[in-house]
Amino acid sequence: MLNSIFLTGILWLGISPGDHQSMEESSINDYQQAILESGAQLVEEAVRTCEVHFGKKILLPPQLPSVSFTHQYGRCYDTQGGLDEHLEIHYQHQHKPENEYTIELYPRKNRQQLNYLSFDETELADHNVAKFYKGPINSIQLLAFEKGDWQYLLTAANQASSAISQQELTEIAQSLIHVVDSKDPTYAKWGNLAVNQTKDHYHMDVIDYLYMGRTTKSSELAEEKFKLWLKKGTREFGVYAIVVFNPTTDQFITIRYEEF
């Protein structure tokens, strides 16, 4: 019914649906151009600029919030060695302020302390602790965590109509952790060993596994932890496999298991 009324109205005004779409696309393009002219860059360009400035590889979370965006852009704030040097990536919808999402990356040495905010803590896959803050309505939601050389701040609008939740921000953080860890050849090596050793130990099939991160005890002792799901017939359960090795010589020491 409402669609029919809307269609009748634009036809009465002499505007075809195609004209309306063209006008909307033109408005979006004009707004994006204004953003770029203000000093922002395309996301890929902003990332490259900050990689050159900091001399470090930058990885963004591959997962985005499940809402629509009309604009995305970035800025590399390279303030000559200042504490505020960082990368910002913005996603927004021109007509939906509740669809607003920002990624900020700070070098660990310049991490933002944010002690003035009241956080709840949640554990991520690599045993790092993510901190979540949710302000009052019409303010922000913030998830802060660290991975590799960077502190990541994921910020979303907190409005009554916002669809981005704490769970989704956490899943986005996990998607980044998995990408970073999957690029580590040591992780892949010990993952294969954990799967094969666990299959032999339990005489069951490993149907899935998740990398939980590394703990370095000393220069001669480190642990890689994996969460595995085992199945044989109708029996199915989970187990943590902790691979202990010498990080200096890269030699395997032992493996232990913790069922859950």
Side-chain angles (χ1 to χ4, degrees):
M1 173 69 76
L2 290 175
N3 288 339
S4 298
I5 294 174
F6 175 72
L7 180 59
T8 301
I10 61 177
L11 290 175
W12 180 78
L13 290 170
I15 305 172
S16 70
D19 291 337
H20 179 78
Q21 182 177 356
S22 296
M23 291 170 60
E24 186 170 306
E25 290 176 353
S26 176
S27 173
I28 290 173
N29 291 336
D30 290 345
Y31 186 68
Q32 180 76 6
Q33 186 61 34
I35 290 173
L36 297 178
E37 289 177 355
S38 72
Q41 296 175 288
L42 297 176
V43 172
E44 296 80 4
E45 294 175 353
V47 170
R48 283 198 300 270
T49 299
C50 264
E51 284 182 333
V52 171
H53 176 69
F54 291 111
K56 299 179 184 293
K57 179 68 176 176
I58 293 175
L59 293 174
L60 298 179
Q63 181 175 326
L64 288 174
S66 54
V67 298
S68 60
F69 301 108
T70 56
H71 302 285
Q72 50 184 290
Y73 56 94
R75 295 177 187 266
C76 181
Y77 293 90
D78 50 352
T79 53
Q80 302 300 319
L83 295 178
D84 197 45
E85 290 187 317
H86 69 287
L87 170 68
E88 281 190 18
I89 306 296
H90 295 269
Y91 299 85
Q92 63 186 71
H93 194 292
Q94 186 175 354
H95 305 296
K96 297 179 179 179
E98 67 273 18
N99 291 11
E100 188 167 327
Y101 168 64
T102 302
I103 306 170
E104 294 178 73
L105 277 78
Y106 289 84
R108 277 183 182 257
K109 65 179 182 180
N110 292 346
R111 63 170 61 85
Q112 302 299 288
Q113 299 301 322
L114 307 173
N115 295 327
Y116 54 92
L117 298 178
S118 177
F119 285 102
D120 293 325
E121 295 187 349
T122 183
E123 187 173 324
L124 300 176
D126 61 351
H127 289 289
N128 279 359
V129 174
K131 297 180 178 181
F132 178 74
Y133 166 78
K134 187 171 185 177
I137 292 296
N138 297 325
S139 64
I140 63 165
Q141 306 175 71
L142 169 65
L143 186 80
F145 68 101
E146 296 181 8
K147 187 63 181 175
D149 297 318
W150 304 98
Q151 178 193 46
Y152 290 79
L153 306 181
L154 309 182
T155 306
N158 180 31
Q159 299 192 16
S161 55
S162 293
I164 303 174
S165 64
Q166 176 184 357
Q167 180 179 347
E168 188 162 27
L169 290 176
T170 302
E171 290 173 354
I172 291 170
Q174 300 278 33
S175 76
L176 181 279
I177 288 169
H178 292 157
V179 166
V180 174
D181 290 340
S182 67
K183 294 182 179 298
D184 183 353
T186 302
Y187 148 81
K189 170 185 175 179
W190 298 124
N192 290 332
L193 184 144
V195 169
N196 292 328
Q197 293 267 2
T198 304
K199 287 169 64 176
D200 292 341
H201 181 79
Y202 285 95
H203 304 291
M204 298 176 70
D205 292 327
V206 175
I207 58 176
D208 199 2
Y209 85 98
L210 176 67
Y211 178 56
M212 302 295 291
R214 174 182 294 191
T215 302
T216 300
K217 305 289 188 178
S218 69
S219 61
E220 298 180 350
L221 192 66
E223 297 178 351
E224 296 277 22
K225 187 173 183 178
F226 302 88
K227 185 177 184 180
L228 297 90
W229 286 263
L230 309 178
K231 183 174 184 180
K232 186 173 184 179
T234 58
R235 187 186 179 204
E236 184 174 339
F237 69 98
V239 63
Y240 292 112
I242 297 94
V243 178
V244 184
F245 66 100
N246 185 320
T248 301
T249 62
D250 205 34
Q251 289 183 326
F252 171 69
I253 298 174
T254 187
I255 185 170
R256 68 177 188 272
Y257 304 97
E258 299 172 2
E259 298 182 10
F260 62 91

